[in-house]
Amino acid sequence: MTVIKELFQHAATTDGITVRVAVNFLPEQSQPDADKWFWVYHIRIENGSHETVQLKTRHWRITDARGMVAHVDGEGVVGEQPSLAPGASHDYVSGCPLETAFGSMEGFYTFHREDGSPFEVRIPFFPLAAPATAD
């Protein structure tokens, strides 16, 4: 499990569901001269509970260096609403553009238990930071 913790710098567990995040700045997709910076993030969701759960919706709070906050809500993740049996995990990769070189993301997923009852699972806070460049 040490390798997992090294790969995924940020993690949070809610009701037995662990959300791990690894984030990387993508200079090849960024244009600092045009105030465009881009990060890719890899999410692993692990079901450590004793029942099958299904991810239904997501809510992101994205903050840039100016303090501007964007809320993003939607169904599932990258077009999927995965069901996770006990012990199973689900990985996906997505991206985030910002108009500043620094920012942060956090949020929650809404899952449904086998009986249909919803519960929220925290997505850990993680910083978005472009490396400093010398001109």
Side-chain angles (χ1 to χ4, degrees):
M1 207 50 138
T2 306
V3 172
I4 294 293
K5 290 180 182 172
E6 289 173 11
L7 291 174
F8 294 92
Q9 307 101 322
H10 312 281
T13 301
T14 309
D15 291 343
I17 310 300
T18 299
V19 177
R20 299 186 190 280
V21 181
V23 61
N24 291 290
F25 176 68
L26 288 186
E28 64 276 10
Q29 300 237 352
S30 300
Q31 298 175 309
D33 293 344
D35 290 335
K36 293 181 181 178
W37 286 266
F38 192 82
W39 290 264
V40 64
Y41 55 89
H42 177 170
I43 304 255
R44 170 167 291 162
I45 303 166
E46 302 168 349
N47 184 358
S49 77
H50 299 293
E51 64 180 323
T52 298
V53 297
Q54 184 176 16
L55 190 157
K56 292 290 195 172
T57 62
R58 69 186 182 284
H59 173 83
W60 286 104
R61 175 186 166 99
I62 304 166
T63 307
D64 73 12
R66 294 184 210 110
M68 298 295 295
V69 177
H71 293 275
V72 178
D73 293 284
E75 292 192 0
V77 290
V78 295
E80 299 179 303
Q81 291 183 318
S83 289
L84 299 174
S89 65
H90 179 78
D91 288 76
Y92 74 93
V93 175
S94 192
C96 179
L98 283 184
E99 294 179 0
T100 61
F102 300 95
S104 64
M105 292 179 68
E106 62 187 321
F108 62 85
Y109 299 119
T110 300
F111 278 83
H112 285 202
R113 295 183 176 90
E114 292 177 65
D115 66 7
S117 63
F119 67 104
E120 290 181 358
V121 172
R122 189 168 77 85
I123 303 168
F125 172 93
F126 57 97
L128 303 172
T133 56
D135 289 331

